[in-house]
Amino acid sequence: MSDFVNPSEEIKNNAYVKDYEKLYKDSLEHPDAFWENVAKELFWYKPWTKVIESKHPYYDWFVGGQTNIVANALDRWQKTEKKDQLALVWEGQDGKVVRYTYQQLHEQVSRAANALKSLGVKKGDRVSIYMPRIPEQTIVMLASAKIGAIHTVVYSGFSVQALKSRIEDAESKIVITADGYHFRDKLVETKKTVDDAIKDNPAVKKVLVVKRTGNPIAFTEGKDIWWEELVSKQDSICPTEILDANDPLFILYTSGSTGTPKGVIHAHGGYMVGVYITAKYIFNLRSNDVFWCAADPGWITGHSYIVYSPFINGVTNFIYEGPPDYPDAGKWWSMIEKYKITKFYTAPTAIRALMKYGDAIPQKYNLSSLKILGSVGEPINPEAWRWYYRVIGKEKCPIMDTWWQTETGMHIISPLPTSPLKPGSAGKPFFGIKADVVDEKGTPVAVNTQGYLVLKKPWPAMFKDVYKNSKKYTDLYWGKIPGTYFTGDFAKRDSDGYFWILGRNDDVMKVSGYRFGSAELESAFVAHPSVAEAAVIGKPHEIKGESIKAFVILKVGVQPTDELKNELKQQVRKLIGPIATPDEIEFVPALPKTRSGKIMRRVLKAKELGQDLGDTSTLEG
Ligand code: PRX
C-alpha cells in the first residue's frame, strides 16, 4: 500500500461517502434505487413513473417526471435562508468585482429570461452564446434553460469559421455576445467575429450585445440590441417552464474523430441528477464552500461544474475572467487567498504551466482555505500531481482527478475525498458506473494491459443523441463494441482496480485540455489556396499535453517557404481560433494512406515519435 496517498482524518470525518466499496457494489446491483434516491433529493414538479427506460442505445431517465434544472439551481432556494447567501462572485481581469446573492442571481436570470422571451425565444428554440467569461454568460445560460430554450455555447477562443458552422448547424435565430473583452493586454473583438460568422446567415434575426469593454463596434439598428437596455427594463419575475425530464437543455459541439464537430445533446432531468451528485460527493460540497472551477462556462466542465451543479448544491461559486499567469504567475493563487476558495478545480495544463514558475510564487499566498483540489481534461502526469498536492494543497487536500467527457455530462471515473490516491490515476468508477478495459472484440484485457475504455451501463447525465445526426450517435459511440459505450480513450486497470487513462485511441487531440478532431483542423489548412492536402497529429508536449503538428502537401508549383508556414498558422487561427494554432508544419510530398485512400495518421505519428509502426498491412503501395 506504500504507493497510496491517504486522506487525513479530518477529510475522512467530513466526507459524505465513507465506504466507497460498499456503496459502489450496492449501486451496481440496484442502479435504479441508487439513482432514484439521488433524484429524490431534488425538486420535481411531478415525480417520474420509471427511473430508466431503455431503447438501446437510447435511454430515457426519470420518465414521466417533470422538472427544470433552474428550479433546482435557483428557484428552490428563494423561500429559504439561502436566498441571502452569495451565489456568484466574479472578478474581471481588470479587477472589477460583481457579487450576487441567490436572490439577486434569480432576479437577474429572470430578467434575462424575459428579455429572451421579448425577442421571441420559445421552448425548444436554440440560442447561440458566444461570450467572454463574464457573469452575463452564466446568467443567459440559466435564462435560456429557465424558459425551456436550448443553449448552445461556443467558447470565445474559437473564431469565425468554427462559430459560423456551429450557429448554422444549431439553426439559431438569436446570438448573444459582448462588444469584446481583453485577454491579457489584447482586445478580442467578439462582436466582430459574430458579424463575420452570420453575414451569410439570414436565419439569425437578433444579436444581443453585452457591453464589456466599450470599444467601438458596428451596430445594426433593429438587429443588434444592447443587453443593458433590453434586460434592465424587464420584470424580475419570470415563471420557470415546467419541462419533461427528457426535454433538451443544451447542445454543445465537440470534436470527434471524423467530420465536423458533433452537437452533443443533454436533457434537463438526468443531467441535473448526475452533475448534482458527482459535484456533491467528489468535491464534498457544503453550503459554506466557496467553489472555483477555473474552466470556461463554454466547455462541458463549465456547463456542469460552474453553471449548474454548484448552484444546485447551494454553494458560493467563484468565477475569474482572466488567465492564470497575467499580469503575473501568482494571479490565481492571489484569488484563492482573496476569496478563501475551499474547492479548486482546474486542468493539468494550467498546473504544469504554473509549476514552471517554481514554488516561491504560490508560497507567497495564504492557500490555507483549500480543502479539495480537482483536475480534469487530460491525463495528469505524476510530477504535476505531486506538485499540486505538495505546493498548492500543502499535503492536506486530496486531488480528485476526474475522468469524463462532453458526452458523459458528469464525472465518470474519479476518486472520492476518502479514497487512497495514486498520483496519475483517475481512481475508480463513480456509483452506478460500470467501466471496463477491453480489446477490440469487447473481451476484458488483463490487469495492467492497455485496452479500450468502455462503459457498460447507462448513467443519468449521458447525452441523448448527436444533434441532427443519430447515425453518429449509434455508430461512433455504440457501434464499435456492440452493447457498450465506446469512449475513444485508451486505459489500463491495475491490480487494485484503479484506472489509468492513457490518451485517445482515435484522431482526437487534447491540446492544453482543448479537444480537436484532426478533420476540423485539416479542413482549415485545405481551405488555403496553396494547400492540396493536410494531415494533423498530436505530439506529446511538456506543458500542453499535446501539441499540433501538420503535414502539408502543397499544390503543384507552390514554393515551400517559411512565410507560407506562417500564413498557414494564421489561417488556422483565423478560421478555428488561437487555441488551435499549430506548433509545427512540415511540407511533405505524400501522406501515408490505406488502399481505400484514408490517411493513416497513426503511421505519421509513430514515425514522428520514432516508434514501431504497428500493423501497416492496409498501407497503400
Ligand atoms: O481523453 C479524455 C480526456 O478528455 C476527453 C474528453 O474531452 P472533452 O469532451 O473536451 O471533456 C473534457 C472535460 C471533461 C476524454 O475522452 N480527459 C478528460 N478528463 C481526463 C481525461 N484524460 C485523462 N484524465 C482525465 N481526468
Side-chain angles (χ1 to χ4, degrees), residues 6 24 33 39 73 82 99 166 185 252 284 307 326 349 354 394 409 414 427 476 504 528 539 556 558 587:
N6 286 302
Y24 180 66
K82 193 175 292 294
R99 289 188 173 84
R166 286 159 175 78
D185 53 4
L252 186 55
N284 201 38
V307 177
Y326 179 87
T349 196
L354 293 169
K394 314 292 181 208
S414 170
L476 295 178
R504 299 285 308 187
H528 192 280
K539 274 175 76 171
V556 178
V558 177
F587 296 122

Side-chain angles (χ1 to χ4, degrees), residues 301 377-379 401-406 489 501 504 510 515:
T301 304
E378 32 163 347
D401 176 4
T402 59
W403 179 90
W404 58 297
Q405 308 177 302
T406 305
D489 277 22
I501 310 296
R504 299 285 308 187
K510 287 294 288 303
R515 175 168 160 182

Side-chain angles (χ1 to χ4, degrees), residues 407-468:
E407 294 87 339
T408 69
M410 65 181 223
H411 301 148
I412 294 291
I413 300 176
S414 170
L416 291 171
T418 46
S419 308
L421 303 170
K422 294 192 187 196
S425 163
K428 296 188 179 184
F430 192 73
F431 304 113
I433 301 289
K434 193 160 182 224
D436 208 346
V437 182
V438 301
D439 64 16
E440 61 278 359
K441 294 203 186 70
T443 311
V445 299
V447 157
N448 285 325
T449 307
Q450 173 171 309
Y452 300 104
L453 178 64
V454 295
L455 304 178
K456 293 185 161 171
K457 263 187 194 303
W459 62 99
M462 63 197 293
F463 67 137
K464 303 291 297 177
D465 205 349
V466 173
Y467 190 58
K468 300 199 290 198

Side-chain angles (χ1 to χ4, degrees), residues 49-69:
T49 49
K50 214 170 167 191
V51 177
I52 183 167
E53 191 165 85
S54 162
K55 291 168 251 162
H56 180 79
Y58 292 94
Y59 296 89
D60 280 343
W61 283 85
F62 306 108
V63 180
Q66 289 184 332
T67 191
N68 184 314
I69 197 165

